[in-house]
Amino acid sequence: MTMFLRTSSFSRKSTGVLLGENCLPPESYQANDSTRKVSERVPTRAEAGLPERGFVFCCFNNNYKILPTMFDVWMRLLKDVSRSVLWVLQDNAAAGENLRKEAQTRGVDPDRLVFALRVGAPEYRARCRLADLFLDTLPYNGHGTTSDMLWAGLPVLTCAGSTFAGRVAGSCCTRWDCRSW
């Protein structure tokens, strides 16, 4: 599996498309609103239920996008990075309980999973700044979520999939002129 930090293997050069002497294809299909709001008030880690110290991995994609293979990788990260937590969206109580159970099955203390409730878009984007790294899902990447993370200034770690839905995050990163790793 190839991983990209804030970028994708897709580029203007790799498309093989020439639209004209000074015209290049768009780097992302996704249109973004340059006037989107980010709340000026960033909550404290304590207000967000996060530990005061330690690395915060996050994934605010819908829970149905979290598949066992990617969750395995995330749990290995938590094991390898002491005092780290995984901050995820709580779509519903059952999903939260299932993720806690799966963490326990993989030898990770379920308390290292922190759940974020849905809030208004400006508040959501502001609280993203409390995280250290956004972990994307595969085979279905974050789409609008990836844009929100980049808009909030959060680094994005994504994998380029083999389908359109698995290449959106890389496309967004390329469009935002993020550097490959």
Side-chain angles (χ1 to χ4, degrees):
M1 172 183 308
T2 304
M3 297 179 99
F4 300 93
L5 179 62
R6 300 180 75 180
T7 192
S8 162
S9 61
F10 181 86
S11 72
R12 290 183 283 194
K13 295 175 188 165
S14 69
T15 62
V17 176
L18 181 61
L19 300 177
E21 186 176 323
N22 295 315
C23 185
L24 295 171
E27 295 168 327
S28 177
Y29 88 96
Q30 190 180 63
N32 279 282
D33 179 3
S34 64
T35 64
R36 75 177 76 191
K37 304 289 184 221
V38 178
S39 175
E40 291 182 20
R41 183 185 179 282
V42 177
T44 65
R45 279 182 163 212
E47 289 172 328
L50 297 168
E52 287 301 318
R53 296 175 58 159
F55 197 90
V56 177
F57 296 102
C58 76
C59 180
F60 296 126
N61 290 346
N62 290 309
N63 295 157
Y64 67 82
K65 294 182 180 182
I66 303 173
L67 299 184
T69 304
M70 194 57 66
F71 196 70
D72 288 342
V73 172
W74 296 351
M75 294 301 99
R76 288 196 312 268
L77 281 171
L78 290 183
K79 287 180 181 178
D80 289 346
V81 180
S82 64
R83 297 189 313 168
S84 63
V85 296
L86 176 61
W87 192 20
V88 294
L89 176 67
Q90 175 140 355
D91 274 337
N92 61 68
E97 286 307 310
N98 287 336
L99 289 172
R100 287 183 185 280
K101 183 184 83 173
E102 291 299 322
Q104 182 75 48
T105 299
R106 290 164 175 81
V108 174
D109 181 350
D111 289 338
R112 292 181 68 189
L113 272 62
V114 178
F115 293 93
L117 298 176
R118 291 189 184 271
V119 295
E123 293 76 25
Y124 154 71
R125 290 185 196 107
R127 79 176 175 194
C128 293
R129 293 177 172 164
L130 298 173
D132 296 298
L133 179 65
F134 176 77
L135 302 175
D136 198 13
T137 51
L138 191 71
Y140 197 98
N141 288 167
H143 295 200
T145 305
T146 299
S147 292
D148 286 335
M149 298 303 111
L150 294 169
W151 194 257
L154 188 63
V156 170
L157 180 63
T158 190
C159 298
S162 59
T163 65
F164 170 80
R167 299 185 70 79
V168 172
S171 170
C172 291
C173 291
T174 298
R175 176 64 187 101
W176 286 54
D177 196 27
C178 302
R179 302 292 176 231
S180 84
W181 189 47

mmCIF file of all heavy atoms in Angstrom, residues 29-71:
data_model
loop_
_atom_site.group_PDB
_atom_site.id
_atom_site.type_symbol
_atom_site.label_atom_id
_atom_site.label_comp_id
_atom_site.label_asym_id
_atom_site.label_seq_id
_atom_site.Cartn_x
_atom_site.Cartn_y
_atom_site.Cartn_z
ATOM 1 N N TYR A 29 -11.431 17.432 -8.596
ATOM 2 C CA TYR A 29 -12.811 17.575 -9.068
ATOM 3 C C TYR A 29 -13.623 18.424 -8.107
ATOM 4 O O TYR A 29 -14.656 18.964 -8.455
ATOM 5 C CB TYR A 29 -13.476 16.194 -9.197
ATOM 6 C CG TYR A 29 -14.122 15.750 -7.907
ATOM 7 C CD1 TYR A 29 -15.479 15.947 -7.685
ATOM 8 C CD2 TYR A 29 -13.364 15.201 -6.883
ATOM 9 C CE1 TYR A 29 -16.067 15.586 -6.488
ATOM 10 C CE2 TYR A 29 -13.948 14.834 -5.696
ATOM 11 C CZ TYR A 29 -15.292 15.029 -5.495
ATOM 12 O OH TYR A 29 -15.864 14.681 -4.314
ATOM 13 N N GLN A 30 -13.166 18.532 -6.863
ATOM 14 C CA GLN A 30 -13.976 19.102 -5.792
ATOM 15 C C GLN A 30 -13.874 20.629 -5.743
ATOM 16 O O GLN A 30 -12.789 21.181 -5.580
ATOM 17 C CB GLN A 30 -13.508 18.514 -4.459
ATOM 18 C CG GLN A 30 -14.419 18.835 -3.316
ATOM 19 C CD GLN A 30 -13.896 18.227 -2.028
ATOM 20 O OE1 GLN A 30 -12.821 18.585 -1.582
ATOM 21 N NE2 GLN A 30 -14.668 17.321 -1.448
ATOM 22 N N ALA A 31 -15.011 21.252 -5.879
ATOM 23 C CA ALA A 31 -15.062 22.706 -5.730
ATOM 24 C C ALA A 31 -15.108 23.031 -4.240
ATOM 25 O O ALA A 31 -15.763 22.329 -3.470
ATOM 26 C CB ALA A 31 -16.303 23.259 -6.414
ATOM 27 N N ASN A 32 -14.384 24.053 -3.820
ATOM 28 C CA ASN A 32 -14.366 24.438 -2.409
ATOM 29 C C ASN A 32 -14.706 25.903 -2.274
ATOM 30 O O ASN A 32 -14.301 26.726 -3.089
ATOM 31 C CB ASN A 32 -12.996 24.154 -1.793
ATOM 32 C CG ASN A 32 -12.846 22.713 -1.404
ATOM 33 O OD1 ASN A 32 -13.359 22.293 -0.376
ATOM 34 N ND2 ASN A 32 -12.163 21.941 -2.235
ATOM 35 N N ASP A 33 -15.401 26.217 -1.215
ATOM 36 C CA ASP A 33 -15.839 27.570 -0.929
ATOM 37 C C ASP A 33 -14.752 28.300 -0.154
ATOM 38 O O ASP A 33 -14.443 27.950 0.985
ATOM 39 C CB ASP A 33 -17.131 27.504 -0.102
ATOM 40 C CG ASP A 33 -17.664 28.857 0.286
ATOM 41 O OD1 ASP A 33 -17.079 29.884 -0.120
ATOM 42 O OD2 ASP A 33 -18.675 28.893 1.006
ATOM 43 N N SER A 34 -14.159 29.303 -0.750
ATOM 44 C CA SER A 34 -13.075 30.040 -0.094
ATOM 45 C C SER A 34 -13.574 30.950 1.026
ATOM 46 O O SER A 34 -12.774 31.574 1.709
ATOM 47 C CB SER A 34 -12.299 30.859 -1.124
ATOM 48 O OG SER A 34 -13.143 31.849 -1.685
ATOM 49 N N THR A 35 -14.888 31.018 1.210
ATOM 50 C CA THR A 35 -15.421 31.871 2.279
ATOM 51 C C THR A 35 -15.935 31.045 3.467
ATOM 52 O O THR A 35 -16.575 31.589 4.359
ATOM 53 C CB THR A 35 -16.576 32.753 1.761
ATOM 54 O OG1 THR A 35 -17.665 31.918 1.350
ATOM 55 C CG2 THR A 35 -16.108 33.627 0.604
ATOM 56 N N ARG A 36 -15.643 29.747 3.478
ATOM 57 C CA ARG A 36 -16.135 28.918 4.585
ATOM 58 C C ARG A 36 -15.610 29.439 5.910
ATOM 59 O O ARG A 36 -14.502 29.958 5.996
ATOM 60 C CB ARG A 36 -15.808 27.451 4.378
ATOM 61 C CG ARG A 36 -14.363 27.105 4.611
ATOM 62 C CD ARG A 36 -14.100 25.632 4.456
ATOM 63 N NE ARG A 36 -14.086 25.301 3.060
ATOM 64 C CZ ARG A 36 -14.090 24.071 2.599
ATOM 65 N NH1 ARG A 36 -14.119 23.063 3.411
ATOM 66 N NH2 ARG A 36 -14.065 23.852 1.317
ATOM 67 N N LYS A 37 -16.416 29.312 6.914
ATOM 68 C CA LYS A 37 -16.103 29.887 8.231
ATOM 69 C C LYS A 37 -15.407 28.874 9.128
ATOM 70 O O LYS A 37 -15.712 27.682 9.108
ATOM 71 C CB LYS A 37 -17.378 30.354 8.919
ATOM 72 C CG LYS A 37 -18.193 31.352 8.117
ATOM 73 C CD LYS A 37 -17.503 32.688 8.061
ATOM 74 C CE LYS A 37 -18.389 33.696 7.348
ATOM 75 N NZ LYS A 37 -17.703 34.556 6.463
ATOM 76 N N VAL A 38 -14.456 29.387 9.919
ATOM 77 C CA VAL A 38 -13.821 28.648 10.993
ATOM 78 C C VAL A 38 -13.988 29.508 12.234
ATOM 79 O O VAL A 38 -13.623 30.684 12.236
ATOM 80 C CB VAL A 38 -12.322 28.394 10.716
ATOM 81 C CG1 VAL A 38 -11.673 27.659 11.883
ATOM 82 C CG2 VAL A 38 -12.134 27.629 9.414
ATOM 83 N N SER A 39 -14.560 28.942 13.273
ATOM 84 C CA SER A 39 -14.780 29.694 14.494
ATOM 85 C C SER A 39 -13.461 30.254 15.030
ATOM 86 O O SER A 39 -12.426 29.581 14.978
ATOM 87 C CB SER A 39 -15.417 28.790 15.560
ATOM 88 O OG SER A 39 -15.533 29.480 16.777
ATOM 89 N N GLU A 40 -13.507 31.474 15.503
ATOM 90 C CA GLU A 40 -12.315 32.074 16.093
ATOM 91 C C GLU A 40 -11.968 31.426 17.419
ATOM 92 O O GLU A 40 -10.823 31.411 17.832
ATOM 93 C CB GLU A 40 -12.514 33.582 16.268
ATOM 94 C CG GLU A 40 -12.556 34.319 14.950
ATOM 95 C CD GLU A 40 -12.697 35.821 15.135
ATOM 96 O OE1 GLU A 40 -12.390 36.326 16.224
ATOM 97 O OE2 GLU A 40 -13.111 36.462 14.165
ATOM 98 N N ARG A 41 -12.971 30.875 18.071
ATOM 99 C CA ARG A 41 -12.734 30.228 19.358
ATOM 100 C C ARG A 41 -12.398 28.751 19.153
ATOM 101 O O ARG A 41 -13.201 27.979 18.661
ATOM 102 C CB ARG A 41 -13.950 30.337 20.263
ATOM 103 C CG ARG A 41 -13.683 29.733 21.626
ATOM 104 C CD ARG A 41 -14.914 29.718 22.514
ATOM 105 N NE ARG A 41 -14.607 29.118 23.787
ATOM 106 C CZ ARG A 41 -14.493 27.804 24.004
ATOM 107 N NH1 ARG A 41 -14.655 26.955 23.027
ATOM 108 N NH2 ARG A 41 -14.213 27.348 25.206
ATOM 109 N N VAL A 42 -11.199 28.371 19.543
ATOM 110 C CA VAL A 42 -10.788 26.971 19.514
ATOM 111 C C VAL A 42 -10.970 26.441 20.928
ATOM 112 O O VAL A 42 -10.440 27.024 21.880
ATOM 113 C CB VAL A 42 -9.316 26.831 19.070
ATOM 114 C CG1 VAL A 42 -8.876 25.377 19.118
ATOM 115 C CG2 VAL A 42 -9.122 27.418 17.677
ATOM 116 N N PRO A 43 -11.719 25.359 21.104
ATOM 117 C CA PRO A 43 -11.903 24.832 22.453
ATOM 118 C C PRO A 43 -10.585 24.317 23.021
ATOM 119 O O PRO A 43 -9.634 24.066 22.275
ATOM 120 C CB PRO A 43 -12.892 23.674 22.253
ATOM 121 C CG PRO A 43 -12.727 23.276 20.832
ATOM 122 C CD PRO A 43 -12.346 24.520 20.087
ATOM 123 N N THR A 44 -10.539 24.143 24.308
ATOM 124 C CA THR A 44 -9.356 23.536 24.923
ATOM 125 C C THR A 44 -9.421 22.031 24.705
ATOM 126 O O THR A 44 -10.485 21.481 24.400
ATOM 127 C CB THR A 44 -9.309 23.818 26.437
ATOM 128 O OG1 THR A 44 -10.427 23.151 27.050
ATOM 129 C CG2 THR A 44 -9.344 25.314 26.723
ATOM 130 N N ARG A 45 -8.298 21.385 24.889
ATOM 131 C CA ARG A 45 -8.291 19.928 24.787
ATOM 132 C C ARG A 45 -9.255 19.320 25.805
ATOM 133 O O ARG A 45 -9.967 18.376 25.502
ATOM 134 C CB ARG A 45 -6.884 19.373 24.991
ATOM 135 C CG ARG A 45 -6.016 19.459 23.746
ATOM 136 C CD ARG A 45 -4.658 18.834 24.008
ATOM 137 N NE ARG A 45 -3.978 18.547 22.760
ATOM 138 C CZ ARG A 45 -3.153 17.541 22.582
ATOM 139 N NH1 ARG A 45 -2.867 16.716 23.579
ATOM 140 N NH2 ARG A 45 -2.571 17.346 21.420
ATOM 141 N N ALA A 46 -9.252 19.872 27.001
ATOM 142 C CA ALA A 46 -10.142 19.353 28.044
ATOM 143 C C ALA A 46 -11.604 19.472 27.621
ATOM 144 O O ALA A 46 -12.397 18.541 27.813
ATOM 145 C CB ALA A 46 -9.896 20.086 29.365
ATOM 146 N N GLU A 47 -11.974 20.604 27.023
ATOM 147 C CA GLU A 47 -13.361 20.785 26.561
ATOM 148 C C GLU A 47 -13.739 19.765 25.484
ATOM 149 O O GLU A 47 -14.902 19.390 25.358
ATOM 150 C CB GLU A 47 -13.558 22.205 26.026
ATOM 151 C CG GLU A 47 -13.547 23.268 27.093
ATOM 152 C CD GLU A 47 -13.548 24.671 26.523
ATOM 153 O OE1 GLU A 47 -12.987 24.906 25.424
ATOM 154 O OE2 GLU A 47 -14.104 25.565 27.194
ATOM 155 N N ALA A 48 -12.749 19.329 24.716
ATOM 156 C CA ALA A 48 -12.997 18.365 23.647
ATOM 157 C C ALA A 48 -12.864 16.922 24.139
ATOM 158 O O ALA A 48 -13.040 15.987 23.352
ATOM 159 C CB ALA A 48 -12.039 18.614 22.489
ATOM 160 N N GLY A 49 -12.540 16.748 25.421
ATOM 161 C CA GLY A 49 -12.379 15.402 25.970
ATOM 162 C C GLY A 49 -11.037 14.768 25.657
ATOM 163 O O GLY A 49 -10.869 13.557 25.812
ATOM 164 N N LEU A 50 -10.085 15.586 25.217
ATOM 165 C CA LEU A 50 -8.757 15.095 24.859
ATOM 166 C C LEU A 50 -7.796 15.251 26.034
ATOM 167 O O LEU A 50 -7.956 16.160 26.855
ATOM 168 C CB LEU A 50 -8.209 15.875 23.664
ATOM 169 C CG LEU A 50 -8.993 15.748 22.366
ATOM 170 C CD1 LEU A 50 -8.520 16.789 21.354
ATOM 171 C CD2 LEU A 50 -8.858 14.336 21.800
ATOM 172 N N PRO A 51 -6.766 14.405 26.101
ATOM 173 C CA PRO A 51 -5.753 14.587 27.153
ATOM 174 C C PRO A 51 -4.975 15.882 26.917
ATOM 175 O O PRO A 51 -4.822 16.322 25.771
ATOM 176 C CB PRO A 51 -4.861 13.355 27.000
ATOM 177 C CG PRO A 51 -5.067 12.892 25.594
ATOM 178 C CD PRO A 51 -6.464 13.285 25.218
ATOM 179 N N GLU A 52 -4.496 16.478 27.980
ATOM 180 C CA GLU A 52 -3.736 17.734 27.861
ATOM 181 C C GLU A 52 -2.423 17.535 27.109
ATOM 182 O O GLU A 52 -1.937 18.448 26.466
ATOM 183 C CB GLU A 52 -3.479 18.339 29.242
ATOM 184 C CG GLU A 52 -4.722 18.940 29.871
ATOM 185 C CD GLU A 52 -5.351 20.052 29.029
ATOM 186 O OE1 GLU A 52 -4.623 20.907 28.479
ATOM 187 O OE2 GLU A 52 -6.582 20.059 28.906
ATOM 188 N N ARG A 53 -1.847 16.345 27.223
ATOM 189 C CA ARG A 53 -0.571 16.059 26.560
ATOM 190 C C ARG A 53 -0.722 14.786 25.747
ATOM 191 O O ARG A 53 -1.582 13.976 26.001
ATOM 192 C CB ARG A 53 0.527 15.907 27.603
ATOM 193 C CG ARG A 53 0.765 17.193 28.363
ATOM 194 C CD ARG A 53 1.745 17.012 29.464
ATOM 195 N NE ARG A 53 3.003 16.509 28.894
ATOM 196 C CZ ARG A 53 4.163 16.615 29.494
ATOM 197 N NH1 ARG A 53 4.245 17.174 30.666
ATOM 198 N NH2 ARG A 53 5.263 16.144 28.943
ATOM 199 N N GLY A 54 0.150 14.625 24.777
ATOM 200 C CA GLY A 54 0.136 13.436 23.940
ATOM 201 C C GLY A 54 -0.290 13.769 22.519
ATOM 202 O O GLY A 54 -0.916 14.788 22.259
ATOM 203 N N PHE A 55 0.080 12.882 21.617
ATOM 204 C CA PHE A 55 -0.206 13.062 20.196
ATOM 205 C C PHE A 55 -1.656 12.683 19.922
ATOM 206 O O PHE A 55 -2.139 11.657 20.409
ATOM 207 C CB PHE A 55 0.732 12.181 19.363
ATOM 208 C CG PHE A 55 0.810 12.562 17.924
ATOM 209 C CD1 PHE A 55 1.759 13.487 17.492
ATOM 210 C CD2 PHE A 55 -0.046 12.010 16.990
ATOM 211 C CE1 PHE A 55 1.839 13.843 16.152
ATOM 212 C CE2 PHE A 55 0.025 12.353 15.648
ATOM 213 C CZ PHE A 55 0.971 13.279 15.230
ATOM 214 N N VAL A 56 -2.342 13.505 19.128
ATOM 215 C CA VAL A 56 -3.746 13.261 18.799
ATOM 216 C C VAL A 56 -3.869 12.945 17.310
ATOM 217 O O VAL A 56 -3.711 13.818 16.458
ATOM 218 C CB VAL A 56 -4.642 14.464 19.163
ATOM 219 C CG1 VAL A 56 -6.088 14.204 18.744
ATOM 220 C CG2 VAL A 56 -4.551 14.773 20.654
ATOM 221 N N PHE A 57 -4.135 11.660 17.035
ATOM 222 C CA PHE A 57 -4.520 11.245 15.695
ATOM 223 C C PHE A 57 -6.026 11.461 15.604
ATOM 224 O O PHE A 57 -6.736 11.302 16.598
ATOM 225 C CB PHE A 57 -4.244 9.749 15.477
ATOM 226 C CG PHE A 57 -2.801 9.361 15.541
ATOM 227 C CD1 PHE A 57 -2.284 8.752 16.681
ATOM 228 C CD2 PHE A 57 -1.958 9.570 14.463
ATOM 229 C CE1 PHE A 57 -0.958 8.363 16.740
ATOM 230 C CE2 PHE A 57 -0.621 9.185 14.516
ATOM 231 C CZ PHE A 57 -0.120 8.580 15.663
ATOM 232 N N CYS A 58 -6.530 11.806 14.439
ATOM 233 C CA CYS A 58 -7.978 11.946 14.326
ATOM 234 C C CYS A 58 -8.464 11.419 12.985
ATOM 235 O O CYS A 58 -7.705 11.340 12.022
ATOM 236 C CB CYS A 58 -8.423 13.394 14.527
ATOM 237 S SG CYS A 58 -8.113 14.490 13.129
ATOM 238 N N CYS A 59 -9.737 11.057 12.983
ATOM 239 C CA CYS A 59 -10.443 10.724 11.751
ATOM 240 C C CYS A 59 -11.898 11.109 11.957
ATOM 241 O O CYS A 59 -12.594 10.503 12.779
ATOM 242 C CB CYS A 59 -10.332 9.249 11.402
ATOM 243 S SG CYS A 59 -11.213 8.877 9.866
ATOM 244 N N PHE A 60 -12.330 12.135 11.246
ATOM 245 C CA PHE A 60 -13.713 12.593 11.353
ATOM 246 C C PHE A 60 -14.559 12.154 10.162
ATOM 247 O O PHE A 60 -15.638 12.683 9.935
ATOM 248 C CB PHE A 60 -13.767 14.111 11.532
ATOM 249 C CG PHE A 60 -13.130 14.564 12.814
ATOM 250 C CD1 PHE A 60 -12.137 15.521 12.806
ATOM 251 C CD2 PHE A 60 -13.516 14.020 14.026
ATOM 252 C CE1 PHE A 60 -11.546 15.938 13.984
ATOM 253 C CE2 PHE A 60 -12.936 14.426 15.213
ATOM 254 C CZ PHE A 60 -11.953 15.384 15.190
ATOM 255 N N ASN A 61 -14.057 11.171 9.400
ATOM 256 C CA ASN A 61 -14.877 10.586 8.348
ATOM 257 C C ASN A 61 -16.040 9.845 8.993
ATOM 258 O O ASN A 61 -15.970 9.457 10.164
ATOM 259 C CB ASN A 61 -14.063 9.599 7.502
ATOM 260 C CG ASN A 61 -13.018 10.276 6.641
ATOM 261 O OD1 ASN A 61 -13.042 11.486 6.450
ATOM 262 N ND2 ASN A 61 -12.083 9.506 6.126
ATOM 263 N N ASN A 62 -17.095 9.622 8.233
ATOM 264 C CA ASN A 62 -18.211 8.829 8.746
ATOM 265 C C ASN A 62 -17.707 7.454 9.172
ATOM 266 O O ASN A 62 -16.842 6.872 8.512
ATOM 267 C CB ASN A 62 -19.300 8.689 7.684
ATOM 268 C CG ASN A 62 -20.013 9.995 7.438
ATOM 269 O OD1 ASN A 62 -20.476 10.642 8.369
ATOM 270 N ND2 ASN A 62 -20.110 10.399 6.184
ATOM 271 N N ASN A 63 -18.247 6.946 10.265
ATOM 272 C CA ASN A 63 -17.781 5.685 10.826
ATOM 273 C C ASN A 63 -17.865 4.511 9.859
ATOM 274 O O ASN A 63 -17.044 3.593 9.914
ATOM 275 C CB ASN A 63 -18.549 5.341 12.102
ATOM 276 C CG ASN A 63 -18.301 6.313 13.240
ATOM 277 O OD1 ASN A 63 -19.127 6.423 14.129
ATOM 278 N ND2 ASN A 63 -17.191 7.022 13.245
ATOM 279 N N TYR A 64 -18.834 4.519 8.960
ATOM 280 C CA TYR A 64 -18.967 3.390 8.037
ATOM 281 C C TYR A 64 -17.774 3.260 7.097
ATOM 282 O O TYR A 64 -17.574 2.214 6.474
ATOM 283 C CB TYR A 64 -20.278 3.454 7.240
ATOM 284 C CG TYR A 64 -20.364 4.600 6.253
ATOM 285 C CD1 TYR A 64 -19.789 4.516 4.991
ATOM 286 C CD2 TYR A 64 -21.041 5.774 6.592
ATOM 287 C CE1 TYR A 64 -19.872 5.560 4.091
ATOM 288 C CE2 TYR A 64 -21.130 6.824 5.694
ATOM 289 C CZ TYR A 64 -20.547 6.711 4.448
ATOM 290 O OH TYR A 64 -20.628 7.759 3.561
ATOM 291 N N LYS A 65 -16.951 4.301 6.995
ATOM 292 C CA LYS A 65 -15.764 4.247 6.150
ATOM 293 C C LYS A 65 -14.582 3.560 6.838
ATOM 294 O O LYS A 65 -13.583 3.261 6.192
ATOM 295 C CB LYS A 65 -15.340 5.656 5.730
ATOM 296 C CG LYS A 65 -16.318 6.353 4.821
ATOM 297 C CD LYS A 65 -15.787 7.718 4.420
ATOM 298 C CE LYS A 65 -16.736 8.449 3.509
ATOM 299 N NZ LYS A 65 -16.164 9.749 3.092
ATOM 300 N N ILE A 66 -14.679 3.326 8.138
ATOM 301 C CA ILE A 66 -13.577 2.715 8.891
ATOM 302 C C ILE A 66 -13.675 1.199 8.757
ATOM 303 O O ILE A 66 -14.536 0.569 9.360
ATOM 304 C CB ILE A 66 -13.615 3.134 10.374
ATOM 305 C CG1 ILE A 66 -13.564 4.653 10.507
ATOM 306 C CG2 ILE A 66 -12.462 2.475 11.131
ATOM 307 C CD1 ILE A 66 -13.769 5.160 11.931
ATOM 308 N N LEU A 67 -12.784 0.632 7.970
ATOM 309 C CA LEU A 67 -12.776 -0.804 7.736
ATOM 310 C C LEU A 67 -11.684 -1.466 8.593
ATOM 311 O O LEU A 67 -10.731 -0.809 9.012
ATOM 312 C CB LEU A 67 -12.551 -1.092 6.256
ATOM 313 C CG LEU A 67 -13.622 -0.521 5.315
ATOM 314 C CD1 LEU A 67 -13.349 -0.959 3.879
ATOM 315 C CD2 LEU A 67 -15.021 -0.935 5.739
ATOM 316 N N PRO A 68 -11.810 -2.765 8.854
ATOM 317 C CA PRO A 68 -10.871 -3.447 9.743
ATOM 318 C C PRO A 68 -9.398 -3.290 9.377
ATOM 319 O O PRO A 68 -8.557 -3.109 10.263
ATOM 320 C CB PRO A 68 -11.308 -4.913 9.664
ATOM 321 C CG PRO A 68 -12.764 -4.846 9.344
ATOM 322 C CD PRO A 68 -12.907 -3.651 8.434
ATOM 323 N N THR A 69 -9.069 -3.338 8.103
ATOM 324 C CA THR A 69 -7.661 -3.231 7.703
ATOM 325 C C THR A 69 -7.059 -1.894 8.123
ATOM 326 O O THR A 69 -5.959 -1.843 8.669
ATOM 327 C CB THR A 69 -7.524 -3.417 6.175
ATOM 328 O OG1 THR A 69 -8.095 -4.657 5.815
ATOM 329 C CG2 THR A 69 -6.081 -3.367 5.744
ATOM 330 N N MET A 70 -7.772 -0.811 7.889
ATOM 331 C CA MET A 70 -7.265 0.503 8.265
ATOM 332 C C MET A 70 -7.276 0.669 9.790
ATOM 333 O O MET A 70 -6.357 1.247 10.363
ATOM 334 C CB MET A 70 -8.080 1.610 7.584
ATOM 335 C CG MET A 70 -7.434 2.980 7.652
ATOM 336 S SD MET A 70 -5.763 3.083 6.954
ATOM 337 C CE MET A 70 -6.064 2.790 5.233
ATOM 338 N N PHE A 71 -8.294 0.152 10.445
ATOM 339 C CA PHE A 71 -8.361 0.228 11.900
ATOM 340 C C PHE A 71 -7.184 -0.520 12.521
ATOM 341 O O PHE A 71 -6.633 -0.073 13.534
ATOM 342 C CB PHE A 71 -9.701 -0.323 12.396
ATOM 343 C CG PHE A 71 -10.022 0.066 13.811
ATOM 344 C CD1 PHE A 71 -10.341 1.376 14.138
ATOM 345 C CD2 PHE A 71 -10.009 -0.887 14.818
ATOM 346 C CE1 PHE A 71 -10.634 1.741 15.439
ATOM 347 C CE2 PHE A 71 -10.309 -0.539 16.126
ATOM 348 C CZ PHE A 71 -10.622 0.778 16.437
#
